[in-house]
Amino acid sequence: MRRFVYNINKQAADPDATSNEVVSFEDYTEIIGVSFVGAHGANNMDVEIRSHDGKETFIDSVPLEYYKIGTGREEISMNQPIVNNAVRVVISFTSGADVKGALVFTCKK
């Protein structure tokens, strides 16, 4: 197993934005889980995880807080096989508070 990091860095003054990026995991073919490690000032970011082609939703768009580890919360179990060793991360950001951290994906071959 190995962990892969997808960094998220937004400033409070950044404009509202939506991003849609493919995150690759070398030659790993299954995601065991995902979590957010970092800090955010308000509930101003939603994250969705989809298949690399965007056709299948693995985790619907939910507030970033849903992914956060700590205070009795653990990594979100996915146990999801992936195609092309990648997933698509869709982020909707609303200005007003900083978001600094990373999504951490635990993968296996």
Side-chain angles (χ1 to χ4, degrees):
M1 289 200 310
R2 181 170 170 200
R3 288 193 167 86
F4 293 87
V5 175
Y6 175 76
N7 291 310
I8 300 174
N9 293 302
K10 296 286 188 181
Q11 302 298 315
D14 289 349
D16 294 359
T18 300
S19 64
N20 186 336
E21 295 184 40
V22 173
V23 179
S24 296
F25 305 114
E26 296 175 2
D27 59 346
Y28 289 77
T29 58
E30 185 176 348
I31 295 179
I32 301 303
V34 62
S35 61
F36 175 76
V37 179
H40 60 92
N43 204 4
N44 63 330
M45 181 175 281
D46 291 337
V47 178
E48 179 177 359
I49 299 176
R50 302 180 64 83
S51 58
H52 82 285
D53 60 5
K55 293 181 180 177
E56 185 179 351
T57 301
F58 297 149
I59 299 177
D60 278 325
S61 183
V62 293
L64 184 61
E65 184 67 26
Y66 181 78
Y67 294 89
K68 190 166 178 133
I69 283 184
T71 318
R73 297 190 78 170
E74 297 182 12
E75 176 179 66
I76 298 169
S77 293
M78 290 182 66
N79 297 314
Q80 180 67 49
I82 54 175
V83 178
N84 290 345
N85 309 336
V87 295
R88 186 170 295 275
V89 176
V90 181
I91 294 176
S92 297
F93 172 75
T94 304
S95 61
D98 293 346
V99 178
K100 184 172 181 149
L103 287 175
V104 178
F105 293 90
T106 302
C107 300
K108 74 175 186 179
K109 292 184 180 184

